[in-house]
């Protein structure tokens, strides 16, 4: 990983999937860089104790009602990793304890920067990471609120580059991004499931079918990354004229996959807008 700019002390409120992924990124050693001071809070004492056993400065709100206020004291960045329905209440609770210039970043779906700004006076950034962030290969969309400066957005970029690739975009596109990079891993996993079933239908044992399907997808994506070629060009290289792959691709294209994927993305976007509206 390339050297990163120094980050200020960070508080992570809630260490579920995304909060935990960010914490893992912050804890990865970087040659020549000092560790970033991090304080985290969890809901349960058991989770906090497990983190403390790994050397993380953690407290649980289950046994310490002031845990969140403790975490944000002196923090330059506060990451809200709680559920969407909790964002406003948690921000209202934190507002008196936040440093005036602390950047607040939410990774909750459907909660706008305007909603966050109404709950606390700080600059805010809305971020939408995806689950591959857990292995450092995520895609995160970031959108700045009205009080956030270019420096704040750069700070958010630096943070999320610890867990993958960052895309800056206007907030009007953040829900659309969630239908592609956010929901996208589920689409890939579904394709692997169906590919595995097809292999089993041809007589392969389940473990062999899974191995072939999973490793084919993993290998293909690594080839795509390493080659720098367009997916269309790589597909052509595999598809010999009048060969078996050409026949199979024709069946898939005959199912109008372009329309199917567009409909899937549109359905996800419609639901994202419903969530943003509170329904």
């Amino acid at each position: 990983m390339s050297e990163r700019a120094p980050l200020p002390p960070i508080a992570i409120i809630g260490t579920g999937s995304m909060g935990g992924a960010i914490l893992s990124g912050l804890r990865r050693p970087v040659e020549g860089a000092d560790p970033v001071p991090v304080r985290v809070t969890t809901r349960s004492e058991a989770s906090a104790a497990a983190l403390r056993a790994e050397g993380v400065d953690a407290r649980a709100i289950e046994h310490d009602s002031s845990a969140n206020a403790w975490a944000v004291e002196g923090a330059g960045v506060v990451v809200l990793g709680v559920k969407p329905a909790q964002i406003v209440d948690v921000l209202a609770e934190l507002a008196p304890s936040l440093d005036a210039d602390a950047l607040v970043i939410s990774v909750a779906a459907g909660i706008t920067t305007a909603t966050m700004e109404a709950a606390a006076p700080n600059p805010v950034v809305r971020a939408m990471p995806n689950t591959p962030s857990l292995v450092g290969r995520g895609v995160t969309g970031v959108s700045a609120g009205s009080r956030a400066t270019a420096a704040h957005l750069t700070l958010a970029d630096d943070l999320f580059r610890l867990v993958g690739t960052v895309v800056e975009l206007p907030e009007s596109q953040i829900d659309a991004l969630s239908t592609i990079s956010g929901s996208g891993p589920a689409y890939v996993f579904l394709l692997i499931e169906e590919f595995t079933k097809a292999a089993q239908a041809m007589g392969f044992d389940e473990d062999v079918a899974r191995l072939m399907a999973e490793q084919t997808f993993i290998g293909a994506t690594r080839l795509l990354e390493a080659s720098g070629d367009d997916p269309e060009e790589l597909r052509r290289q595999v598809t010999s004229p009048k060969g078996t792959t050409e026949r199979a691709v024709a069946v898939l294209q005959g199912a109008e996959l372009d329309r199917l994927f567009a409909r899937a993305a549109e359905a996800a976007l419609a639901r994202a807008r419903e969530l943003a509206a509170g329904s």
Side-chain angles (χ1 to χ4, degrees), residues 13-15 41 68 79-88 90 106-109:
I13 309 301
T15 52
T41 62
N68 286 343
V79 178
L80 303 179
V82 298
K83 295 182 183 301
Q86 299 173 306
I87 291 290
V88 172
V90 168
S106 167
V107 297

Side-chain angles (χ1 to χ4, degrees), residues 192-239:
I192 294 172
E193 287 179 54
E194 297 303 327
F195 200 27
T196 300
K197 291 175 185 176
Q200 288 180 267
M202 289 183 169
F204 291 100
D205 291 339
E206 181 180 2
D207 57 343
V208 175
R210 279 195 59 181
L211 179 68
M212 290 192 302
E214 291 174 6
Q215 291 303 312
T216 296
F217 273 77
I218 291 169
T221 54
R222 288 184 178 173
L223 175 59
L224 174 64
E225 182 178 49
S227 69
D229 291 333
D230 290 336
E232 185 177 5
E233 173 57 28
L234 290 174
R235 174 170 59 81
R236 287 198 188 103
Q237 293 175 17
V238 180
T239 310

Side-chain angles (χ1 to χ4, degrees), residues 126-211:
R126 184 178 172 191
M128 186 61 62
N130 63 1
T131 54
S133 298
L134 293 166
V135 292
R137 300 305 302 269
V139 175
T140 301
V142 295
S143 301
S146 64
R147 301 178 194 136
T149 65
H152 290 127
L153 200 55
T154 296
L155 184 54
D157 285 358
D158 289 343
L159 176 62
F160 285 100
R161 283 197 181 98
L162 297 175
V163 293
T165 300
V166 177
V167 180
E168 293 183 9
L169 69 170
E171 190 169 5
S172 60
Q173 291 186 302
I174 198 84
D175 288 334
L177 172 133
S178 75
T179 71
I180 305 301
S181 61
S183 300
Y187 310 155
V188 174
F189 300 145
L190 176 61
L191 290 173
I192 294 172
E193 287 179 54
E194 297 303 327
F195 200 27
T196 300
K197 291 175 185 176
Q200 288 180 267
M202 289 183 169
F204 291 100
D205 291 339
E206 181 180 2
D207 57 343
V208 175
R210 279 195 59 181
L211 179 68

